[in-house]
């Protein structure tokens, strides 16, 4: 009987993270295979005999995947996010066949952590079914020191650079994958242009948001903050009822106009990786003008959330992980989608006008316990995109992946991540 673990990697974060993780698993004695769906996947994995190019269309994928699992004797599947069609099919087949599924995501406690789970992430995470009381019961005794969340994303430039490089390969070197179609609605050429433009304009955008932020800080008025997400983000698309960002903007502005005191202001904070595909500034201006509150509504492009969040009266979001920075500060939070932190102890259930009028505060101790549980289980110090961040991840991830159970299992408590951030 073959007892070797054989890992099948599908699509991962842009950059060399999956390649380095595969190399470490091979060093541990495991078999490693990678399916590539375009030239970007191939470029970041390298020319290795364990690379399997997939040149078929979406309809052929289930049958091809089943053959790969059988012929390569796959025991484990490794993915980044679980909602894109090729990954959703992999999760489905893995569950049927009794295979382990290793899911990576951006950190639930960003920026200096990444998320590692089994079977699913975000709205499909095991966290959705674990109560705060159960977390308290399962917490390791004595580990109570919790670090303050950093105020910036440590490897933003590398993230944008690898994104632009990945899309360059797909645009200009993809002749070997004629059937490839991106999982996002945005054309690959357009996405590559937006990544490149964002990289080039970073100094200008930094100056612009610094000016906008300073104006808000100097205004002296109470304000509420709306945390925006990328419209193509998996959490937004798969775990909320909104069709697009415009629908969310309208709900928030309507609720603010109906309930907020007349001297309060509303600040929309864009995602740090917002590419400019959606005309957010124009939409916010038009919607606020229609409610007669244009002079009380502001827009800030990306940047450090803590600078604005520290003085905010409340925060609203669909289901952004940034909502946890509000909870950490004891700021009232209202969400509209499914999120791993959607627990009754610290997320408001008030109607939006009532929330803006007099928001209820979260249970600070409940959130601290929740956060400590995450830090001891699924939040791994490091990052996908910088060399330093990847080195930090490699020190722990392979042992976690080779363990018989996932990070939320009591049996894995010895593999819990240390309570510190990358310095």
């Amino acid at each position: 009987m073959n007892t070797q673990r054989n890992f099948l990697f599908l699509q991962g974060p842009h950059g060399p993270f999956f390649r380095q993780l595969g190399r470490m698993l091979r060093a541990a004695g495991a078999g490693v295979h990678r399916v590539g769906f375009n030239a970007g996947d191939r470029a970041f994995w390298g020319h290795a005999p364990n690379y399997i190019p997939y040149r078929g269309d979406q309809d052929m994928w289930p049958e091809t995947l089943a053959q790969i699992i059988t012929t390569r004797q796959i025991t484990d599947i490794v993915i980044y996010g679980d909602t894109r069609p090729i990954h959703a099919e992999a999760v489905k087949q893995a569950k049927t066949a009794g295979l382990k599924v290793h899911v990576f995501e951006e950190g639930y406690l960003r920026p200096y952590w990444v998320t590692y789970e089994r079977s699913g992430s975000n709205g499909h995470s095991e966290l959705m079914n674990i109560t705060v009381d159960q977390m308290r019961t399962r917490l390791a005794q004595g580990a109570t020191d919790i670090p303050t969340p950093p105020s910036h994303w440590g490897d933003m430039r590398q993230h944008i650079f690898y994104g632009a490089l990945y899309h360059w390969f797909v645009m200009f070197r993809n002749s070997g994958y004629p059937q490839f179609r991106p999982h996002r609605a945005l054309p690959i050429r357009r996405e590559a242009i937006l990544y490149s433009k964002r990289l080039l304009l970073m100094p200008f955008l930094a100056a612009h948001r610094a000016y906008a932020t300073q104006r808000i800080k100097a205004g002296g008025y109470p304000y509420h903050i709306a945390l925006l997400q990328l419209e193509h983000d998996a959490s937004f698309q798969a775990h909320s009822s909104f069709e697009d960002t415009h629908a969310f903007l309208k709900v928030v502005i309507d609720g603010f106009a109906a309930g907020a005191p007349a001297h309060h202001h509303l600040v929309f904070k864009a995602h740090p990786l917002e590419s400019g595909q959606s005309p957010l500034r124009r939409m916010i201006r038009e919607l606020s003008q229609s409610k007669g509150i244009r002079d009380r509504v502001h827009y800030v492009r990306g940047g450090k959330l803590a600078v604005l969040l520290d003085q905010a009266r409340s925060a609203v979001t669909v289901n952004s992980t940034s909502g946890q920075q509000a909870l950490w500060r004891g700021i009232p939070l209202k969400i509209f989608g499914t999120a791993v932190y959607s627990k009754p102890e610290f997320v408001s259930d008030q109607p939006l006008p009532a929330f803006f009028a007099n928001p209820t505060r979260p249970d600070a101790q409940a959130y601290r316990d929740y956060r400590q549980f995450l830090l001891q289980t699924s939040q791994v110090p490091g990052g996908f995109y910088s060399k330093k961040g990847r080195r930090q991840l490699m020190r722990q991830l392979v042992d976690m992946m080779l363990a018989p159970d996932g990070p939320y299992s009591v049996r894995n408590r010895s593999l819990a991540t240390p309570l510190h951030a990358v310095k």
Side-chain angles (χ1 to χ4, degrees):
M1 179 178 178
N2 182 15
T3 60
Q4 183 187 39
R5 300 278 290 277
N6 287 304
F7 289 79
L8 179 66
F9 284 67
L10 301 183
Q11 289 196 295
H14 300 148
F17 168 69
F18 261 17
R19 183 180 73 240
Q20 293 179 3
L21 181 61
R23 185 184 303 139
M24 188 73 75
L25 282 166
R26 286 196 298 272
V32 174
H33 311 269
R34 170 71 191 269
V35 178
F37 299 84
N38 57 54
D41 293 342
R42 178 60 178 264
F44 286 130
W45 187 259
H47 296 270
N50 60 353
Y51 178 81
I52 308 166
Y54 180 72
R55 309 185 195 279
D57 60 20
Q58 186 66 46
D59 292 339
M60 296 171 58
W61 171 239
E63 181 181 352
T64 303
L65 175 61
Q67 291 175 349
I68 293 172
I69 289 173
T70 300
T71 58
R72 306 272 176 148
Q73 297 183 299
I74 300 301
T75 60
D76 300 72
I77 293 179
V78 186
I79 55 179
Y80 174 62
D82 63 356
T83 59
R84 65 185 70 180
I86 59 173
H87 290 172
E89 176 63 27
V91 172
K92 176 183 175 181
Q93 292 199 24
K95 288 181 178 179
T96 300
L99 310 182
K100 290 181 170 60
V101 179
H102 308 264
V103 187
F104 289 95
E105 258 292 3
E106 306 293 346
Y108 293 148
L109 302 176
R110 299 182 193 179
Y112 284 124
W113 292 273
V114 306
T115 299
Y116 167 72
E117 296 179 285
R118 299 279 179 93
S119 300
S121 63
N122 293 310
H124 300 145
S125 169
E126 292 178 38
L127 284 172
M128 301 302 300
N129 299 316
I130 304 176
T131 67
V132 173
D133 285 341
Q134 289 171 329
M135 293 177 186
R136 285 168 169 159
T137 300
R138 293 165 60 179
L139 280 172
Q141 298 299 315
T144 58
D145 185 27
I146 303 176
T148 300
S151 61
H152 66 282
W153 198 341
D155 45 14
M156 175 65 69
R157 287 181 177 83
Q158 294 96 323
H159 190 159
I160 295 174
F161 168 76
Y162 282 129
L165 183 60
Y166 177 89
H167 289 96
W168 184 91
F169 276 107
V170 176
M171 279 187 1
F172 299 111
R173 294 287 187 270
N174 214 47
S175 59
Y177 302 85
Q179 304 275 11
F180 171 71
R181 298 293 182 271
H183 65 282
R184 297 173 181 170
L186 188 64
I188 199 73
R189 183 178 295 274
R190 177 64 175 158
E191 191 160 7
I193 291 172
L194 290 172
Y195 263 107
S196 300
K197 181 180 178 181
R198 176 79 181 181
L199 193 61
L200 293 172
L201 292 179
M202 284 187 77
F204 168 77
L205 296 175
H208 185 274
R209 67 172 169 261
Y211 173 73
T213 300
Q214 185 56 39
R215 285 190 62 188
I216 294 167
K217 292 174 64 178
Y221 42 72
Y223 63 84
H224 308 257
I225 190 165
L227 307 172
L228 299 181
Q229 295 166 242
L230 300 177
E231 196 169 79
H232 61 253
D233 180 76
S235 291
F236 187 96
Q237 291 291 329
H239 303 298
S240 85
S241 61
F242 293 108
E243 292 185 2
D244 52 33
T245 301
H246 185 274
F248 172 67
L249 296 177
K250 187 177 188 308
V251 167
V252 173
I253 289 174
D254 288 353
F256 180 80
H263 63 292
H264 285 209
H265 287 229
L266 175 63
V267 176
F268 284 96
K269 170 72 168 53
H271 189 280
L273 291 174
E274 177 57 52
S275 64
Q277 168 68 11
S278 298
L280 296 177
R281 181 184 296 277
R282 176 175 60 80
M283 291 191 294
I284 290 169
R285 181 178 65 249
E286 292 174 353
L287 289 168
S288 58
Q289 282 177 342
S290 72
K291 291 294 180 179
I293 57 172
R294 175 70 189 94
D295 60 337
R296 296 165 55 203
V297 180
H298 313 269
Y299 172 69
V300 178
R301 301 182 182 185
K304 296 181 179 180
L305 176 58
V307 175
L308 289 170
L309 194 56
D310 285 341
Q311 299 179 42
R313 288 293 184 90
S314 75
V316 296
T317 187
V318 176
N319 51 15
S320 171
T321 56
S322 296
Q324 297 206 54
Q325 292 198 38
L327 294 174
W328 171 249
R329 290 164 172 79
I331 296 172
L333 178 66
K334 174 75 175 177
I335 70 170
F336 293 87
T338 302
V340 293
Y341 57 84
S342 182
K343 306 295 183 184
E345 291 87 350
F346 34 82
V347 173
S348 175
D349 62 356
Q350 296 170 277
L352 192 54
F355 177 80
F356 280 127
N358 186 26
T360 56
R361 291 194 172 275
D363 182 333
Q365 186 56 54
Y367 179 69
R368 284 175 175 267
D369 292 338
Y370 166 88
R371 189 171 186 274
Q372 184 178 341
F373 179 79
L374 262 63
L375 286 169
Q376 291 192 23
T377 54
S378 63
Q379 302 306 287
V380 188
F384 295 128
Y385 306 103
S386 70
K387 290 182 179 179
K388 183 177 181 180
R390 290 192 298 273
R391 285 198 301 267
Q392 189 77 5
L393 289 177
M394 295 305 161
R395 296 189 181 105
Q396 297 191 66
L397 280 180
V398 171
D399 288 339
M400 296 178 73
M401 295 173 73
L402 293 174
D405 299 296
Y408 303 124
S409 169
V410 175
R411 288 198 289 172
N412 270 8
R413 189 63 61 214
S414 63
L415 296 173
T417 57
L419 298 179
H420 63 78
V422 178
K423 299 297 184 183

